[in-house]
Amino acid sequence: MSQEVRVRFAPSPTGPLHIGGVRTALYNYLLAKKLGGKMLLRIEDTDQNRFVPGAEQYIIESLQWLGITIDEGVGVGGPHEPYRQSERSAIYQEHAQILLDAGKAYYAFDTSEELDAMRATFESQGSAFQYNAVTRTRLKNSLTLSEEEVKAKIEAGEPYVIRLKVPAKEEIRFKDLIRDWVHVHSSTIDDKVLMKSDGLPTYHLANVVDDHLMNITHVIRGEEWLPSAPLHVMLYRAFGWENTMPQFAHLPLLLKPEGNGKLSKRDAEIGGFPVFPLEWTNPEGVKSIGFREEGYLKEALINFLAFLGWNPGTEQEIFSLEELTQAFSLERINKSGAKFDINKAKWYNEQYLRQQSDEALASQYLTDFETDKAVKIVHLFKERVTFPQQIVSEANALFVAPTSYDQAVIASKWNDDAKKAITAFKEALPALDNFVADEIKHTLSAELEKLGIKMGKVMQALRVAVTGAGAGPDLMLLMEIIGKDAVIQRLDTALTTL
RNA sequence: GGUCCGUUCGUCUAGGGGUUAGGACACGUCCCUUUCACGGAUGAAACACGGGUUCGAUUCCCGUACGGACUACCA
């Protein structure tokens, strides 16, 4: 039976989507598109305490910006609605009941304080507390209490959780598409809480139930889930769903650029680079920068992210989203974590920036300038900047006369010959009707020839006189854009002040 | 501490029983250029360690070291 591939991206709305999450979404999307399947977006908002208003919208906008389209789920709907877990509590309760009835789960009445105390005691004896096959016989739960006692407690409104009754001795193994077989013994897994005392499920239950009900075929998620994957396998087993269980692929983590550990918001602050796709202002009003606002092009971000943990096996580095969907495969994802290097992201951005036409960039970013001037400016600067907004600031700077001059150049190049040449050039300029690069150059060389001075001798001095800087794009083009009157004025200023 | 996962240039990685261990970013040098940048060329730079297996191991196996994740009524 050939089955439609269905993957899901299932973030929690606890804040802005982290760049690692974006990559997870991307890989899911890539696999779905490659295999002609569907990409779902499910919001895992079962923790009311960590819910952040606006986070869901942020996630949707981020994916939209990047072109990671959702076929089914929050925001678009679909046959398995609702796709927000907070709206599915009845489903989880029902499924928890199935496990309870089958004797595969049980009620537990231990309070958090009691459990904390347990943990402290165990720790003081040098061991770790686990709610499991051996300890559950001594704790307050429906396995140790009589049926009447349990009933009474529940009816009295005493808070309780539902825990999975993990078998004492069972070998759990599953095949991870990236890591191959992973084996774990059930004795190392504790009786995880499935339903919290607030009546909402934990991640584990909700995730397994939803993935099953939504016919998910591939679970592609971060490596932080690898340790709980065996628990999920046990849950599939407990429900009798093992034969339709999705395949797992646990992605390597994105690591700090330097030092140890996974990439965090703090690293971004230290390094001065974004870790969120879009700018985000948290409920307290604190703003975090985003890739989009910093000037990263979505194509560059996608390409960069795709290559953090995956590669096509060829030497091609530049891939459009469409090319990525063609080339992508889970088999070529590697196992080890990748340090996040913003330099590579910048390089990708430069590549994509240069790929765009002068006209497109001009109409998108230089709307304050007349079109043909804007196009010329873009042409001059797009190969020398990393971000589009740098073209804008360069453009604006063009029309401001220099307020200071590069002293090193002045010291070595601002000599009598240069002054003589620049004076002659300046005086020849008013007669020049067609003030374009070629004509300007002709005028300059004509004047230099008369004086017997070589071009190379004066170019730098001239550049400094016009722009204040010792380096930059083609000076003739620059002067053309600045305009005749302004150039003459600047030369005057330089000649009289320097 | 326990469980699980990992380890090729500074970074992202290719490769895989016999290779001059390849590419990209960053870095150095040179060329181009009126300068800078782009571009081109080029250089430096890596198989964590110890045992096996083998004629031969960076590649396979086992240990060790190191790194990471998880260890909540968070996801």
Side-chain angles (χ1 to χ4, degrees), chain A residues 211-339:
Chain A
D211 283 345
H212 175 258
L213 261 22
M214 295 178 184
N215 301 317
I216 298 301
T217 56
H218 301 260
V219 170
I220 304 169
R221 75 231 298 190
E223 193 187 351
E224 68 267 29
W225 293 110
L226 193 53
S228 46
L231 171 77
H232 302 157
V233 172
M234 277 193 300
L235 270 169
Y236 282 104
R237 233 180 242 180
F239 280 117
W241 299 335
E242 208 176 353
N243 53 345
T244 58
M245 187 168 76
Q247 292 193 274
F248 293 101
H250 289 95
L251 267 21
L253 263 15
L254 259 29
L255 272 18
K256 292 178 185 300
E258 50 206 43
N260 308 320
K262 64 173 167 178
L263 182 66
S264 71
K265 195 173 137 189
R266 179 96 188 98
D267 299 310
E269 284 158 6
I270 295 168
F273 57 82
V275 280
F276 300 127
L278 274 33
E279 189 174 274
W280 165 263
T281 305
N282 75 4
E284 287 77 47
V286 180
K287 197 184 272 187
S288 301
I289 58 173
F291 279 93
R292 187 226 256 158
E293 291 75 12
E294 289 296 292
Y296 286 89
L297 304 171
K298 63 179 184 183
E299 296 84 357
L301 218 212
I302 292 268
N303 203 150
F304 167 65
L305 246 25
F307 271 66
L308 238 36
W310 172 88
N311 75 83
T314 65
E315 284 179 2
Q316 184 181 345
E317 306 265 346
I318 303 293
F319 279 80
S320 67
L321 190 54
E322 292 66 34
E323 288 173 309
L324 284 171
T325 68
Q326 291 308 308
F328 189 73
S329 73
L330 290 176
E331 291 71 37
R332 294 204 63 89
I333 294 176
N334 45 238
K335 301 173 178 39
S336 46
K339 288 196 177 181

Side-chain angles (χ1 to χ4, degrees), chain A residues 187-203:
Chain A
S187 63
T188 65
I189 298 172
D190 57 358
D191 290 357
K192 281 277 181 315
V193 170
L194 264 21
M195 291 293 276
K196 299 179 275 186
S197 54
D198 62 4
L200 290 174
T202 56
Y203 171 86

Side-chain angles (χ1 to χ4, degrees), chain A residues 347-362:
Chain A
W347 178 77
Y348 272 113
N349 217 51
E350 289 162 359
Q351 299 305 308
Y352 281 97
L353 196 56
R354 282 163 205 157
Q355 242 178 47
Q356 303 209 16
S357 72
D358 297 344
E359 290 73 19
L361 287 169

Side-chain angles (χ1 to χ4, degrees), chain A residues 449-463:
Chain A
E449 206 161 320
K450 279 189 239 168
L451 293 166
I453 299 173
K454 288 226 169 70
M455 179 89 89
K457 290 277 195 189
V458 296
M459 281 306 286
Q460 276 225 277
L462 181 57
R463 174 183 294 282

Side-chain angles (χ1 to χ4, degrees), chain A residues 100-176:
Chain A
L100 245 17
D101 293 345
K104 294 186 169 159
Y106 59 91
Y107 294 104
F109 299 94
D110 320 87
T111 64
S112 306
E113 293 72 35
E114 286 167 345
L115 292 174
D116 285 346
M118 274 306 233
R119 279 188 263 269
T121 317
F122 270 70
E123 202 175 321
S124 68
Q125 293 163 211
S127 63
F129 170 71
Q130 258 201 325
Y131 207 120
N132 62 15
V134 332
T135 58
R136 68 180 166 232
T137 58
R138 310 197 300 263
L139 291 155
K140 279 198 295 187
N141 53 54
S142 58
L143 269 14
T144 57
L145 269 23
S146 74
E147 215 170 300
E148 290 71 32
E149 284 174 303
V150 170
K151 212 172 179 182
K153 277 176 181 293
I154 292 173
E155 273 165 14
E158 209 174 293
Y160 64 87
V161 299
I162 298 173
R163 286 181 183 271
L164 180 69
K165 191 177 171 188
V166 173
K169 289 179 192 167
E170 210 170 282
E171 182 68 21
I172 299 136
R173 55 181 223 139
F174 66 96
K175 192 172 179 150
D176 184 277

